[in-house]
Amino acid sequence: MSILVDKNTRLLVQGITGREGSFHAERCMQYGTNLVAGVTPGKGGEKVFDKVPVFNSVSRAVKETGANVSLIFVPPPFAADAMIESADAGVPLVICITEGVPVKDSMYVMRYLEGKQTRLIGPNCPGLITPGAKAKVGIMPGNIHMPGKVGVVSRSGTLTYEAVQQLTTLGIGQSSCVGIGGDPVSGTTFVDVLKLFNADPETEAIVLIGEIGGVKEQEAAAYIKANVKKPVAALIVGQTAPPGRRMGHAGAVITGTAALASEKMKALAEAGCHVIPSPAEIGSTVRAMLASRK
Amino acid sequence: MSILVDKNTRLLVQGITGREGSFHAERCMQYGTNLVAGVTPGKGGEKVFDKVPVFNSVSRAVKETGANVSLIFVPPPFAADAMIESADAGVPLVICITEGVPVKDSMYVMRYLEGKQTRLIGPNCPGLITPGAKAKVGIMPGNIHMPGKVGVVSRSGTLTYEAVQQLTTLGIGQSSCVGIGGDPVSGTTFVDVLKLFNADPETEAIVLIGEIGGVKEQEAAAYIKANVKKPVAALIVGQTAPPGRRMGHAGAVITGTAALASEKMKALAEAGCHVIPSPAEIGSTVRAMLASRK
Amino acid sequence: MKLHEYQAKKLLAGYGVPIPQGSVASTPAEATKAAEQLGGRAVVKAQVHAGGRGKAGGVKVVSSGAEAAEVAKRLIGSTLVTFQTGPQGAPVHQVLVEQTVDVARELYLSMTTDGGRRRPVIIASQAGGMEIEEVAKTHPDQIITEPIDPAIGLYPFQVRRVAEALNVTGEAARPFAMLLNACYNAYMEKDCSMIEINPLVITKDNKVLALDAKVTIDDDALYRHKAEAELRDKSQEDPLEVQASEHGIAYVKLDGDVGCMVNGAGLAMATMDIVKFAGAQPANFLDVGGGANEEKIAKAIELMLSDKSVTQVLVNIFGGILRCDVAARGLIAGIEAAGRQPRMVVRMLGTNVDEGKQILAGSGLKISLVNTLQEAATAIAAK
Amino acid sequence: MKLHEYQAKKLLAGYGVPIPQGSVASTPAEATKAAEQLGGRAVVKAQVHAGGRGKAGGVKVVSSGAEAAEVAKRLIGSTLVTFQTGPQGAPVHQVLVEQTVDVARELYLSMTTDGGRRRPVIIASQAGGMEIEEVAKTHPDQIITEPIDPAIGLYPFQVRRVAEALNVTGEAARPFAMLLNACYNAYMEKDCSMIEINPLVITKDNKVLALDAKVTIDDDALYRHKAEAELRDKSQEDPLEVQASEHGIAYVKLDGDVGCMVNGAGLAMATMDIVKFAGAQPANFLDVGGGANEEKIAKAIELMLSDKSVTQVLVNIFGGILRCDVAARGLIAGIEAAGRQPRMVVRMLGTNVDEGKQILAGSGLKISLVNTLQEAATAIAAK
């Protein structure tokens, strides 16, 4: 099991002939992911890595290769088109790495997806990985991961790698790790991923990594309180950020008391989560949490 | 039982202070329908028929009166707004009588409704009636109806009354009669209503009245063939209309062989329907059909 | 509402659709001037609301201003009969004088609203210059359709898909994409029912051009497009149909002698069917609509009776929104206004029916009142 | 990107939002002329990217051209310190000279994007002229929100709902509706992140007017709004932050002395947290982003080191899109460009990490390489 990607994943990369797309598509493939196709309009008929066919359109790629996951690296002005093209072609899981997609574009993409079967992760996210199935669909460094029973979900990119690194260093493996991205309007939420981890028999504990800004951590806390019996460790970063300043991406704007790190940590603690006191203590907190369960 | 409207119907009329709205709202009420509210922006606080409160907005009307069906009589430029307002307020059944709604407006309304819980009938339809429950939500003359077991569904307005008149004259009562309207883009389809009649224990036979143009009768035939065990009598009008001329509303344009009366009749016959040979023989055909079942 | 070719092209050009150079002429002198501005060589095209102009002699290539004047003189004021106009033809009041174009490929492109999908669709084919109905019959596989979600509009991947199916590549791909987007914007903003560009040509120097164009605007939306509503050319329509539509009445002239007046399109078709099954021929389709008032009914009767081929009349009113008393009063007023009363069978039912019948009975007019469709048919056949 | 009040008003007016008469002045003479055009009586408003101007002395009513010049002279070239600017204040280069208005009511109206609903929302309140955050705290029931479905746009029933909640009735209802539609059109077409009209006033003669206006445009969408991108006033921002953003680097100056360079906003915040927990103070927030290249890293280091308050540096790079070898080369180039190297702790992990570490080791620079966040914190605290 594990969630979202596994041995059955047939990966399609949109923008595969670009610099980033090409680099990361190869890394995914080298990690063990079944990369079946690439899409770059105008380059249909070519091959990359000597074997992966490139198509002009996602619908053609899906028809020819049975691709069921799409990973997007196209530049921001073309990202909405790429996401909608994959959904239109019936791809059930779409991950958009692209950073800097205009919020209006994302809003129309999300509106289009309402009621559709396609799940979108991102944009502006690192993607996801299931180490036990050797399935990596994203830009995370694969080698820091280790198969195991802890599910990781995070709004951040590099901070997710940090969390994984700390877990792996302590010998704590991961079932799947999902970076949901930090854009103000995006697809899959904390709650969506928590539902999946909660239902996944191969996930025994969960690490949630949040940030200041927005109310998504509070929604996660409410869901955990009501539904999750598995132990959850939670970190909120930005505890020391000065209020009212924009910290990198729009998701990290302090906009009222709910957006404060202290409020989020309070909500998560009340939901029964093990609150991680410092970014340096992710691994140790999870280790203690797992030990207390035994 | 019966379908869509019954004793539990709490009717709201949008445009109740207009000429048509007022006339027909009163007729619905006199027939026995539970008219609980009217909506006319700017006339909130007034009363019509000495007892029915008028509100400025549908959301307020729903909140105050528990209205669960909305009947729309507003002029064409305001019809889309009225339909969406009712859906936004969570009204589960909306019937739009208004004729002459721009097709683009209907297209946006229908797109808005995708994935929502609200069912729309119309626009440009006569509404629906359940004689056994004394529930009339439309502009049909109530007195021609008679409670019974035959469900009637039609694309046309006055032709539906014709059908009902013929049935009642022969002592054949109706469970519910639904006019789905003739606009090129509209809500509830033949198939939607057939599903309801098929599932309704109080409906024992079905009369379907179609027209030349479009492929909706073929879709109905396919559904009947696959799912409907109850006897269905079907009439197609426009058998003698010259091809290629527009006959009143855009739904009645001959646009290819599927749109021809002969093709539609063929499809319905193949689906096991009793094809009604002439508009004058609706009643007699149904009588024969019911007799053959006994 | 249909637009003339020159009007359709101007509308589309306003959104960025490339069209040939040219101008419209109402006189031979204007045609000369227009052709000379193009260097003499030009195409002169009769402006009528119908396809099939080429075969009917309505499109001529000329090589000088003088020749343009000759063609214009012959066309303007004439009546053009094409397979779409019917035998009465359509009057030509203007010609469009346009540059000639070096055509490399002819494609077909249109947009219309798909009622089943409830969305606008692009319809396209590599078989440009042919009637699409013909292509649909003979080579349905050569037609591609691309529905557009109005919630988000037309996206680039869809344009690429259409371009690929039409084999539009290289230099022409970008102008083709711009043209398609322009068409969609025009379609939505102007409440079109149809935009048809046939042929859409790719020139030898890789330009994309709407060589012919038809635009139809949703009549129900004209109230919010005043400028386009002004473009209506009533001379292209049957005068009775024009008068009827001005009163909100749907009227179509037919070949028979039984005038039919009905409320509701479905019942009107049913009534025509009945008349034919009874062995008579309807003189028209006439739907006064659901919300008719007395004046409208009167006007409908008056219009119908102004058609001298109408020798008897069948009125079939089923009162819903339209009340029978109102219909009866309108009927009487209409007969008075028309100044003649052929044999008349009236069938009336529904809201306020008794009042309606009383009014007719008290009018002193000779009217056969019947109760059922079958009786109506029998009465008509009995003549 | 923030616009000045006068720019925001011009943008909104282009969509039909009514604004007071007036003009912008860069000199006292222009202010005189502007006031005299209005008949002498006018409001002179300092143009800065911050609220709270009134209390800070940035808004004055004058009754003559001469008086306008006096106020303009005092304001232009000065630095205005409001509760939103921070102690360093914001420079005033222009004043807006506007007509005075007979105000009957002051309302609050804004539009922004609700990430949870994934839709634009209207936020409105009868408590106009107050900071909305303050109203939210003290009278949350007085704030109404109306989400707009981007698939279909803003509908009249929603406008009526907002108007009713604000008690905008009678003559003012229609212009209010037009204003709200204009705002929505501007919001969507110009990729706004926020439009705030505070106060929106209803005048004694029932006119609706945007008396003040703020507009913020989505930075990520500026590439398709060239005209608006030109309006950026960099003087209103920290010069280092401006330079950083020109290189796609997110940089926020803070009060401490530990320069932090990190890739990724979340890791950057985590790094700042670590520094603070270790008892030190971060000098900045600096995120080079996911797709940084060597030049960008170098520029980030150079910018950070140009802040003289930075006495030590913590670099925390977790390689994903950004490879560690690239980061290492950028780091070295940045130090060279800056011409100084304070004490430096580098923590580097992920893609191509060994290569990165080798490059740093081979550079000859004095850098403490650490492996974990905890070690980084300890190393920083050890100073």
Side-chain angles (χ1 to χ4, degrees):
Chain A
M1 282 281 293
S2 69
I3 67 168
L4 295 167
V5 295
D6 55 26
K7 287 278 174 213
N8 299 316
T9 293
R10 297 180 65 80
L11 180 63
L12 155 77
V13 171
Q14 288 176 262
I16 198 164
T17 58
R19 198 169 54 89
E20 299 297 345
S22 163
F23 177 80
H24 287 290
E26 193 167 20
R27 292 288 169 126
C28 290
M29 194 175 66
Q30 287 165 348
Y31 188 77
T33 317
N34 187 11
L35 176 65
V36 298
V39 167
T40 300
K43 304 219 169 168
E46 295 185 9
K47 272 194 170 26
V48 288
F49 318 135
D50 292 337
K51 58 174 182 182
V52 178
V54 179
F55 298 90
N56 283 328
S57 69
V58 174
S59 54
R60 186 61 58 94
V62 167
K63 201 175 157 191
E64 304 279 333
T65 69
N68 56 17
V69 176
S70 177
L71 182 62
I72 297 174
F73 287 99
V74 306
F78 315 113
D81 186 50
M83 291 186 260
I84 293 174
E85 181 177 9
S86 265
D88 173 82
V91 177
L93 178 62
V94 178
I95 297 103
C96 184
I97 305 296
T98 310
E99 189 182 342
V101 178
V103 170
K104 183 171 74 175
D105 293 9
S106 295
M107 208 154 60
Y108 278 110
V109 171
M110 294 312 305
R111 182 63 182 83
Y112 174 78
L113 291 177
E114 279 180 27
K116 300 268 191 311
Q117 294 306 309
T118 294
R119 177 194 297 276
L120 172 70
I121 301 180
N124 188 20
C125 79
L128 68 163
I129 185 170
T130 295
K134 293 275 172 219
K136 170 170 117 88
V137 180
I139 59 173
M140 63 289 290
N143 62 317
I144 61 171
H145 295 80
M146 166 180 170
K149 305 282 191 180
V150 174
V152 178
V153 59
S154 167
R155 263 167 86 177
S156 168
T158 45
L159 183 55
T160 319
Y161 317 156
E162 175 68 42
V164 168
Q165 172 74 22
Q166 291 188 27
L167 293 173
T168 296
T169 302
L170 296 178
I172 304 168
Q174 305 92 43
S175 56
S176 298
C177 306
V178 184
I180 60 172
D183 272 7
V185 172
S186 58
T188 299
T189 63
F190 275 135
V191 170
D192 296 327
V193 179
L194 286 170
K195 275 182 200 172
L196 295 170
F197 277 140
N198 202 30
D200 174 33
E202 291 195 9
T203 298
E204 293 180 356
I206 300 166
V207 175
L208 182 149
I209 298 174
E211 287 177 9
I212 51 174
V215 295
K216 284 175 180 154
E217 289 77 6
Q218 275 86 347
E219 290 164 10
Y223 181 81
I224 291 167
K225 195 170 186 177
N227 301 286
V228 181
K229 297 280 167 288
K230 300 176 183 183
V232 180
L235 170 69
I236 303 293
V237 298
Q239 300 182 40
T240 61
R245 298 304 303 266
R246 187 181 152 128
M247 293 286 139
H249 53 62
V253 175
I254 304 194
T255 53
T257 53
L260 291 172
S262 56
E263 289 294 317
K264 291 176 186 291
M265 292 167 74
K266 198 174 130 202
L268 289 160
E270 281 170 4
C273 297
H274 298 248
V275 175
I276 301 169
S278 146
E281 295 168 50
I282 303 170
S284 56
T285 307
V286 174
R287 182 171 58 184
M289 178 177 85
L290 293 175
S292 72
R293 295 270 293 185
K294 299 222 166 110
Chain B
M1 279 280 292
S2 69
I3 67 167
L4 295 168
V5 295
D6 55 25
K7 290 275 174 221
N8 299 316
T9 294
R10 298 178 64 80
L11 180 63
L12 155 77
V13 171
Q14 287 176 265
I16 199 165
T17 58
R19 197 169 54 89
E20 299 298 344
S22 161
F23 177 79
H24 287 291
E26 194 167 19
R27 292 285 167 128
C28 290
M29 193 175 68
Q30 286 164 349
Y31 188 77
T33 317
N34 187 11
L35 175 66
V36 299
V39 167
T40 299
K43 303 218 169 167
E46 295 184 8
K47 272 193 169 29
V48 286
F49 318 134
D50 292 336
K51 59 177 180 177
V52 178
V54 179
F55 298 90
N56 283 328
S57 70
V58 175
S59 55
R60 185 61 58 96
V62 168
K63 200 175 157 192
E64 304 278 334
T65 68
N68 55 19
V69 176
S70 177
L71 182 63
I72 297 176
F73 286 98
V74 306
F78 315 113
D81 185 52
M83 291 185 261
I84 293 175
E85 182 178 8
S86 266
D88 173 82
V91 178
L93 178 62
V94 178
I95 297 104
C96 183
I97 305 299
T98 311
E99 189 182 342
V101 178
V103 171
K104 183 172 75 175
D105 292 10
S106 295
M107 208 154 59
Y108 278 111
V109 171
M110 294 313 304
R111 182 61 181 86
Y112 174 77
L113 290 177
E114 279 181 28
K116 298 269 192 311
Q117 294 305 309
T118 294
R119 176 194 299 275
L120 171 69
I121 301 181
N124 187 20
C125 80
L128 68 162
I129 186 169
T130 294
K134 295 271 172 225
K136 171 170 116 86
V137 181
I139 59 174
M140 63 289 290
N143 61 318
I144 61 172
H145 295 81
M146 162 177 171
K149 305 281 193 183
V150 174
V152 178
V153 60
S154 168
R155 260 168 90 176
S156 168
T158 46
L159 183 55
T160 318
Y161 317 157
E162 176 67 41
V164 168
Q165 172 74 22
Q166 291 187 27
L167 294 174
T168 296
T169 301
L170 296 179
I172 304 167
Q174 304 92 42
S175 57
S176 299
C177 305
V178 185
I180 60 173
D183 271 6
V185 173
S186 57
T188 299
T189 63
F190 276 134
V191 171
D192 296 327
V193 179
L194 286 169
K195 274 184 200 171
L196 295 170
F197 278 140
N198 203 28
D200 174 32
E202 293 194 9
T203 298
E204 292 179 358
I206 301 167
V207 176
L208 181 149
I209 298 175
E211 288 177 10
I212 52 172
V215 295
K216 285 177 178 152
E217 289 78 7
Q218 275 86 346
E219 289 165 9
Y223 181 79
I224 290 167
K225 195 169 186 176
N227 302 286
V228 180
K229 296 280 167 286
K230 301 177 183 183
V232 180
L235 170 70
I236 303 292
V237 298
Q239 300 181 40
T240 62
R245 299 301 307 267
R246 188 183 151 127
M247 293 285 138
H249 53 60
V253 176
I254 303 193
T255 52
T257 54
L260 291 172
S262 56
E263 289 295 316
K264 290 176 188 292
M265 290 167 76
K266 199 175 128 200
L268 288 160
E270 281 171 4
C273 296
H274 299 247
V275 175
I276 301 169
S278 145
E281 295 168 51
I282 303 170
S284 55
T285 307
V286 174
R287 183 172 54 184
M289 177 176 88
L290 293 175
S292 72
R293 293 270 293 185
K294 293 209 173 116
Chain C
M1 185 191 83
K2 287 183 182 174
L3 299 189
H4 278 300
E5 178 192 4
Y6 77 92
Q7 296 166 334
K9 281 179 169 168
K10 195 176 165 199
L11 185 149
L12 293 174
Y15 285 86
V17 172
I19 58 170
Q21 272 190 285
S23 49
V24 73
S26 304
T27 63
E30 284 174 16
T32 302
K33 198 178 157 199
E36 283 171 355
Q37 276 173 350
L38 297 167
R41 187 169 168 79
V43 190
V44 180
K45 303 164 91 176
Q47 297 297 289
V48 291
H49 283 181
R53 293 172 303 173
K55 284 182 190 160
V59 178
K60 292 285 173 199
V61 175
V62 299
S63 50
S64 69
E67 207 184 325
E70 267 172 53
V71 173
K73 197 174 172 186
R74 180 172 59 74
L75 288 173
I76 294 170
S78 76
T79 296
L80 199 69
V81 179
T82 84
F83 75 99
Q84 280 192 352
T85 60
Q88 78 283 8
V92 182
H93 298 303
Q94 289 138 330
V95 292
L96 179 58
V97 183
E98 278 189 340
Q99 68 175 132
T100 58
V101 172
D102 279 342
V103 174
R105 296 181 63 207
E106 293 195 332
L107 305 170
Y108 173 91
L109 178 71
S110 70
M111 250 173 228
T112 187
T113 298
D114 181 332
R117 290 190 176 100
R118 297 167 172 141
R119 277 162 172 54
V121 289
I122 296 166
I123 300 171
S125 162
Q126 295 201 35
M130 290 173 65
E131 287 297 315
I132 193 71
E133 290 85 351
E134 199 48 39
V135 182
K137 260 183 231 164
T138 54
H139 297 93
D141 53 304
Q142 285 185 11
I143 294 179
I144 62 148
T145 59
E146 179 75 34
I148 304 169
D149 184 343
I152 58 169
L154 178 64
Y155 269 68
F157 78 92
Q158 301 180 284
V159 175
R160 292 195 300 268
R161 184 149 63 196
V162 174
E164 190 168 22
L166 296 181
N167 198 24
V168 174
T169 53
E171 264 185 62
R174 205 183 156 82
F176 176 80
M178 289 172 73
L179 180 143
L180 212 51
N181 279 301
C183 283
Y184 179 67
N185 291 339
Y187 191 85
M188 295 306 279
E189 282 183 23
K190 295 296 182 193
D191 277 280
C192 296
S193 316
M194 193 202 58
I195 293 176
E196 189 181 56
I197 300 178
N198 187 22
L200 170 70
V201 302
I202 300 185
T203 63
K204 290 190 175 145
D205 54 347
N206 269 310
K207 289 204 167 46
V208 173
L209 217 54
L211 208 56
D212 194 0
K214 288 192 177 71
V215 167
T216 308
I217 298 178
D218 181 359
D219 289 325
D220 289 332
L222 280 177
Y223 73 88
R224 55 190 176 204
H225 302 291
K226 304 284 186 218
E228 284 72 28
E230 296 287 321
L231 299 178
R232 182 167 174 186
D233 179 359
K234 293 174 185 169
S235 78
Q236 299 294 312
E237 305 166 44
D238 180 282
L240 272 188
E241 293 185 21
V242 171
Q243 274 192 61
S245 85
E246 279 167 1
H247 293 87
I249 298 162
Y251 173 90
V252 178
K253 171 90 184 88
L254 299 171
D255 296 335
D257 61 351
V258 183
C260 300
M261 192 196 86
V262 192
N263 65 326
L267 191 59
M269 283 190 281
T271 305
M272 289 162 61
D273 286 358
I274 283 285
V275 167
K276 272 219 176 179
F277 295 156
Q281 296 299 328
N284 57 45
F285 165 95
L286 195 165
D287 169 17
V288 291
N293 55 21
E294 190 180 319
E295 289 69 38
K296 201 164 160 186
I297 302 277
K299 196 74 207 172
I301 290 287
E302 189 188 344
L303 282 171
M304 182 171 63
L305 294 182
S306 75
D307 176 2
K308 295 304 171 212
S309 56
V310 170
T311 59
Q312 55 176 335
V313 169
L314 172 52
V315 173
N316 189 8
I317 295 293
F318 215 124
I321 282 192
L322 171 59
R323 285 134 55 183
C324 291
D325 55 327
V326 171
R329 272 191 288 266
L331 204 56
I332 296 166
I335 291 168
E336 276 169 19
R340 75 172 182 118
Q341 196 219 335
R343 179 162 179 270
M344 195 168 268
V345 178
V346 174
R347 193 263 190 146
M348 205 178 250
L349 269 176
T351 310
N352 294 5
V353 61
D354 295 335
E355 219 177 320
K357 285 185 177 174
Q358 264 175 7
I359 289 166
L360 286 185
S363 72
L365 292 168
K366 273 182 63 179
I367 291 173
S368 314
L369 279 168
V370 298
N371 287 317
T372 69
L373 267 190
Q374 196 53 62
E375 287 169 26
T378 310
I380 287 296
K383 188 195 174 185
Chain D
M1 184 190 84
K2 287 183 182 176
L3 299 188
H4 279 298
E5 177 191 6
Y6 77 94
Q7 297 166 334
K9 283 181 169 168
K10 196 176 165 200
L11 184 149
L12 293 174
Y15 285 85
V17 172
I19 58 170
Q21 272 191 284
S23 48
V24 72
S26 303
T27 64
E30 284 175 15
T32 300
K33 198 178 157 198
E36 282 169 355
Q37 275 172 350
L38 297 167
R41 188 169 167 78
V43 191
V44 179
K45 302 162 91 175
Q47 297 297 288
V48 291
H49 283 181
R53 293 173 303 173
K55 284 185 189 156
V59 179
K60 291 285 173 197
V61 176
V62 299
S63 49
S64 69
E67 207 183 327
E70 266 173 54
V71 173
K73 195 172 173 187
R74 182 171 58 74
L75 288 173
I76 295 169
S78 76
T79 296
L80 199 68
V81 179
T82 84
F83 76 99
Q84 282 192 350
T85 60
Q88 79 282 5
V92 181
H93 298 301
Q94 288 136 330
V95 292
L96 178 59
V97 182
E98 278 188 340
Q99 68 175 129
T100 57
V101 171
D102 277 342
V103 174
R105 293 181 63 206
E106 293 196 333
L107 305 171
Y108 175 91
L109 178 71
S110 70
M111 251 174 227
T112 187
T113 298
D114 181 332
R117 289 187 176 100
R118 296 165 172 144
R119 277 162 171 59
V121 288
I122 296 166
I123 301 171
S125 161
Q126 295 202 35
M130 288 172 67
E131 287 297 316
I132 193 71
E133 290 85 351
E134 197 50 39
V135 180
K137 257 184 233 164
T138 54
H139 298 92
D141 53 303
Q142 287 185 9
I143 294 180
I144 62 147
T145 60
E146 179 76 35
I148 303 170
D149 185 343
I152 58 167
L154 178 62
Y155 269 67
F157 79 90
Q158 302 180 286
V159 175
R160 292 195 300 268
R161 184 150 62 197
V162 174
E164 190 169 22
L166 296 181
N167 198 25
V168 174
T169 55
E171 264 185 64
R174 205 183 155 82
F176 176 79
M178 292 174 69
L179 179 143
L180 212 50
N181 279 300
C183 283
Y184 179 67
N185 292 339
Y187 191 85
M188 295 306 279
E189 282 184 21
K190 294 298 181 191
D191 277 279
C192 297
S193 315
M194 192 201 62
I195 293 176
E196 188 181 58
I197 300 178
N198 187 20
L200 171 71
V201 301
I202 300 185
T203 62
K204 288 189 177 147
D205 54 348
N206 270 312
K207 290 205 166 46
V208 172
L209 217 53
L211 208 58
D212 195 358
K214 288 193 177 70
V215 167
T216 308
I217 298 178
D218 181 0
D219 289 324
D220 288 333
L222 280 177
Y223 73 88
R224 56 190 175 204
H225 302 290
K226 304 285 185 213
E228 284 72 27
E230 296 286 320
L231 299 179
R232 183 166 172 187
D233 179 358
K234 293 173 183 170
S235 76
Q236 299 293 313
E237 305 165 43
D238 181 282
L240 272 187
E241 292 183 22
V242 170
Q243 275 193 61
S245 83
E246 278 166 3
H247 293 86
I249 298 162
Y251 173 90
V252 178
K253 170 92 183 89
L254 299 171
D255 296 333
D257 63 349
V258 183
C260 299
M261 194 196 85
V262 192
N263 66 324
L267 191 59
M269 283 191 280
T271 305
M272 288 162 62
D273 286 357
I274 283 286
V275 167
K276 272 220 176 177
F277 294 156
Q281 297 299 325
N284 58 47
F285 165 96
L286 194 165
D287 169 17
V288 291
N293 56 19
E294 190 179 319
E295 290 69 39
K296 200 165 159 186
I297 302 276
K299 196 72 207 176
I301 290 286
E302 190 188 341
L303 282 171
M304 182 171 65
L305 293 182
S306 74
D307 175 4
K308 296 302 171 211
S309 56
V310 170
T311 58
Q312 56 177 335
V313 169
L314 172 52
V315 173
N316 188 6
I317 296 292
F318 214 124
I321 283 191
L322 171 59
R323 285 132 58 182
C324 293
D325 55 328
V326 171
R329 272 190 288 266
L331 202 59
I332 295 165
I335 292 167
E336 275 170 20
R340 74 175 181 114
Q341 194 220 339
R343 180 165 179 267
M344 194 168 271
V345 178
V346 175
R347 193 264 190 145
M348 206 176 251
L349 268 177
T351 310
N352 293 6
V353 59
D354 295 335
E355 219 177 319
K357 284 184 176 175
Q358 264 174 5
I359 290 166
L360 286 185
S363 71
L365 291 168
K366 274 182 61 179
I367 290 172
S368 316
L369 279 168
V370 299
N371 286 317
T372 68
L373 268 190
Q374 196 53 62
E375 285 171 27
T378 309
I380 287 296
K383 185 194 174 181

